[in-house]
């Protein structure tokens, strides 16, 4: 779905099923998704964020975080995404 969005019919089909997983297309407007799969790594990332990212305003805005059973998904808007 990088170049074309799903149809309304396709979205309704996805949401009307019993399947509970979903995907997020990253890259749109510099969206970056960090997938952390264990609690210890999440603690390390949060400390890194407080020490470096937040302190030096590396990201555009505060990250949105969704906790998962194993860790978290962290959604950030990066001013440097795609500038490798």
């Amino acid at each position: 779905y990088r170049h074309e969005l799903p149809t309304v019919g396709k979205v309704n089909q996805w949401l009307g099923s019993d399947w509970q997983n979903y995907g997020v297309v990253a890259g749109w407007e510099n969206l970056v998704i960090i997938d952390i799969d264990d609690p210890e790594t999440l603690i390390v990332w949060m400390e890194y964020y407080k020490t470096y990212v937040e302190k030096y305003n590396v990201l555009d805005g505060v990250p949105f975080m969704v906790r998962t059973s194993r860790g978290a998904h962290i959604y950030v808007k990066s001013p440097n995404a795609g500038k490798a």
Side-chain angles (χ1 to χ4, degrees):
Y1 299 105
R2 186 173 176 194
H3 301 289
E4 182 179 316
L5 294 175
T7 64
V8 171
K10 185 53 109 175
V11 172
N12 287 335
Q13 179 184 3
W14 292 335
L15 298 177
S17 73
D18 290 334
W19 193 41
Q20 299 300 312
N21 289 327
Y22 63 91
V24 176
V25 178
W28 288 74
E29 297 186 12
N30 296 336
L31 175 64
V32 176
I33 304 165
I34 302 167
D35 182 5
I36 298 176
D37 288 331
D38 65 84
E40 293 81 20
T41 304
L42 180 57
I43 291 168
V44 170
W45 187 88
M46 292 175 81
E47 283 300 315
Y48 176 83
Y49 176 80
K50 289 176 191 172
T51 303
Y52 297 105
V53 178
E54 190 174 60
K55 183 176 180 180
Y56 297 106
N57 296 315
V58 176
L59 300 175
D60 291 342
V62 177
F64 176 75
M65 181 171 29
V66 177
R67 296 281 184 145
T68 66
S69 60
R70 297 182 293 177
H73 295 156
I74 303 165
Y75 300 79
V76 296
K77 187 173 180 182
S78 172
N80 298 317
K83 296 179 183 176

